[in-house]
Amino acid sequence: MRVLFATAELSPIATVGGLAAAAAGLGSELRREGVDVDLVLPDYGGIALVDETSFELDVPEWVGAAVVRRGRHPGVGALTLVSVPGMARAHPYLRPDGEGWPDNSERFFRFGRAVAALAERDGPDVLHLNDWHTGVALAALDDPPPTVVSIHNLAYQGIADGSWLDVLGPRSSHFEWWGGTNPLSGALALADRIVAVSPHYAAEIQTPEGGFGLDDALRQRSESLVGILNGIDTDVWNPATDPHLPVNFSAKDTDGKQQCRSALLDRFGFVDDDVPLATVVTRLTEQKGIDLLVPLIPLLEQIPMRLAVLGSGDAVLAARLHELAADHPHHFGFVDGYDESLSHLMFAGADVFLMPSRFEPCGLTQMQAMRYGAMPVVTAVGGLVDTVPDADRESKGLGFVADEVTSEHLLAAMFRAGRAVSKKRVRTTLRKRMMGVDWSWTEPAGHYARMYRVLIDDAGSSRSDR
């Protein structure tokens, strides 16, 4: 079974959000299960391959020269890179000033059309497209192979002006969107299967509140829509072997976690005492809800709880967090940016991990945190619902859930988490339970492999019936 798997991001080569980790994790696990996965990524420039071969694709003139490089990459194994005009950039989506490249739609429409040409050339058993960046491939394919479209974040749709409908291909009418062109809406209309990256998110995106304008289209395809929870790389996120930690530990022997906690307290200049230590590792965006924490920071001493935040993004929010860190140095600390080693320590040293997202298709950091024995405090959205049963409400609970996305409900959940940390027996039970959960890609990849086989069998039956 050969799967052409097209994505705009792939760890560790091009990493912006969860798409990169999901593509890498799923691709790697499917390969371990014997699926021949052709990972296809835009050629952003400067990506070295071993045993490289190259060839040109037959694409329309508007695409420009489309060149494919194939070889092996030390981080991901076999890899296909597709170069089209304008694609090679230092960041896949953003200019140095943080604004999006003005030609992003054009760049990825070219890439999607090149993916269609590659599928026509190679004839894969399944074509798996991810998010809007690859969607227009289906406009160009009259007789596509069985196709899966994964939704990693419905908020981003790549909408462009309607003139693109004249060039995208014979099925471009499906991409018309209120006079414009929507690469995601067209892909959702034409795909054989649609996958949301968690079961709860699959339900949310069919509602006006969570559908970002596509809820009606998704309800019409509900029989073809499924939610499959993402996994995490449990080799990278493993406290027993993690090279970033001062001391390793495991679910069977958690003693080293206390030393990691002490190291993290020292890193932020906090007193090493019995006050629960919470952390956040995030992007500073509206989606992640970090602004909901801002009014709670002056209240940390009363909870009591200390909080350390690592994140980058919105400059105004970052400036406010810096101010609060200066005003409350004994209970709040902030590091602006991303530090791989520090992020691992912030999972390992934390008693509590906060994730106050306004929406969260799946979420990875809550699973990473639980892998390191940090109790998650989350909002009741998306994949957070699927991964964090509330410990005060369910016998096998893993964390604490704020029922509404407000500062008030978040504060209540933080109080409950602080109470659990302060009780040694409860803390130990929850910690071992969290660390014992299998968050790997093994089960999700099995769901995808079975789905691929069903699609291939259905396609074979359809052809035999003609």
Side-chain angles (χ1 to χ4, degrees):
M1 176 167 52
R2 187 163 190 268
V3 178
L4 194 163
F5 188 100
T7 176
E9 298 179 33
L10 184 68
S11 293
I13 302 167
T15 301
V16 178
L19 170 58
L26 177 57
S28 178
E29 185 60 35
L30 285 170
R31 284 174 171 174
R32 276 195 286 268
E33 294 189 10
V35 180
D36 182 3
V37 180
D38 182 13
L39 290 172
V40 179
L41 182 74
D43 194 342
Y44 294 115
I47 305 170
L49 300 177
V50 178
D51 299 326
E52 180 181 316
T53 60
S54 64
F55 55 88
E56 290 190 12
L57 292 170
D58 182 13
V59 293
E61 185 177 352
W62 67 267
V63 177
V67 179
V68 172
R69 293 195 292 134
R70 276 188 167 144
R72 296 192 63 80
H73 184 275
V76 299
L79 179 64
T80 297
L81 297 171
V82 176
S83 171
V84 292
M87 186 54 73
R89 304 278 169 87
H91 189 285
Y93 318 129
L94 302 179
R95 303 183 311 195
D97 63 2
E99 295 297 318
W101 298 108
D103 60 346
N104 272 342
S105 291
E106 181 176 351
R107 294 168 66 230
F108 287 103
F109 287 1
R110 287 172 174 162
F111 173 64
R113 183 59 183 85
V115 167
L118 186 62
E120 288 178 317
R121 177 189 183 275
D122 291 353
D125 297 306
V126 175
L127 174 61
H128 191 149
L129 305 174
N130 290 272
D131 276 350
W132 73 266
H133 318 92
T134 56
V136 298
L138 291 183
L141 294 170
D142 271 324
D143 187 21
T147 303
V148 176
V149 170
S150 284
I151 304 172
H152 298 264
N153 194 332
L154 196 64
Y156 302 101
Q157 298 177 18
I159 298 173
D161 67 73
S163 63
W164 286 101
L165 300 172
D166 297 329
V167 299
L168 291 180
R171 299 201 293 174
S172 64
S173 62
H174 294 276
F175 293 76
E176 193 278 332
W177 187 253
W178 299 99
T181 302
N182 187 328
L184 188 55
S185 70
L188 297 179
L190 295 172
D192 295 297
R193 290 289 187 276
I194 302 166
V195 179
V197 291
S198 70
H200 195 77
Y201 190 56
E204 282 182 346
I205 59 178
Q206 295 180 70
T207 68
E209 296 78 17
F212 290 93
L214 290 175
D215 53 291
D216 184 58
L218 286 162
R219 286 194 299 273
Q220 292 180 33
R221 298 296 319 277
S222 60
E223 292 185 359
S224 300
L225 171 62
V226 64
I228 301 177
L229 188 70
N230 282 342
I232 61 172
D233 188 330
T234 51
D235 292 329
V236 172
W237 301 102
N238 184 356
T241 59
D242 194 332
H244 298 288
L245 305 185
V247 180
N248 293 115
F249 59 95
S250 67
K252 293 182 179 179
D253 182 5
T254 62
D255 289 347
K257 185 170 176 66
Q258 182 61 38
Q259 291 172 262
C260 292
R261 184 180 185 277
S262 295
L264 183 59
L265 287 165
D266 184 64
R267 172 67 175 78
F268 280 87
F270 294 153
V271 174
D272 192 350
D273 55 16
D274 292 330
V275 173
L277 175 59
T279 63
V280 175
V281 179
T282 190
R283 289 177 287 117
L284 302 181
T285 64
E286 183 181 14
Q287 175 192 342
K288 298 300 182 179
I290 305 306
D291 58 297
L292 300 175
L293 284 173
V294 168
L296 305 184
I297 290 170
L299 306 177
L300 289 171
E301 190 172 0
Q302 282 72 48
I303 294 177
M305 186 174 285
R306 290 193 175 89
L307 174 60
V309 175
L310 171 64
S312 62
D314 184 274
V316 174
L317 182 54
R320 180 60 180 141
L321 293 176
H322 278 300
E323 292 174 0
L324 288 163
D327 292 342
H328 305 277
H330 302 299
H331 285 80
F332 178 64
F334 172 56
V335 173
D336 188 354
Y338 183 72
D339 182 320
E340 179 71 16
S341 183
L342 179 57
S343 72
H344 285 245
L345 182 61
M346 289 181 75
F347 291 128
D351 300 306
V352 176
F353 183 79
L354 305 182
M355 201 165 176
S357 303
R358 286 187 167 85
F359 66 95
E360 195 64 62
C362 176
L364 301 178
T365 51
Q366 82 279 12
M367 291 186 274
Q368 292 161 355
M370 287 187 279
R371 179 94 164 129
Y372 286 69
M375 297 180 200
V377 171
V378 303
T379 43
V381 297
L384 304 182
V385 173
D386 297 306
T387 53
V388 187
D390 193 285
D392 284 338
R393 301 165 188 166
E394 301 187 34
S395 60
K396 298 298 182 181
L398 298 174
F400 301 90
V401 181
D403 293 326
E404 296 182 21
V405 186
T406 66
S407 296
E408 292 78 10
H409 281 80
L410 183 60
L411 179 62
M414 290 167 64
F415 267 115
R416 293 194 290 126
R419 182 180 60 198
V421 171
S422 68
K423 298 177 181 177
K424 184 177 180 180
R425 179 179 292 182
V426 175
R427 179 178 72 240
T428 301
T429 298
L430 280 175
R431 187 169 288 169
K432 289 183 178 293
R433 186 183 298 160
M434 287 184 292
M435 296 179 72
V437 177
D438 179 8
W439 300 112
S440 75
W441 274 100
T442 302
E443 184 176 343
H447 286 301
Y448 279 99
R450 289 189 291 274
M451 178 175 61
Y452 294 155
R453 293 188 187 100
V454 168
L455 289 173
I456 293 168
D457 290 344
D458 288 348
S461 299
S462 297
R463 290 191 185 97
S464 65
D465 290 340
R466 292 176 184 172

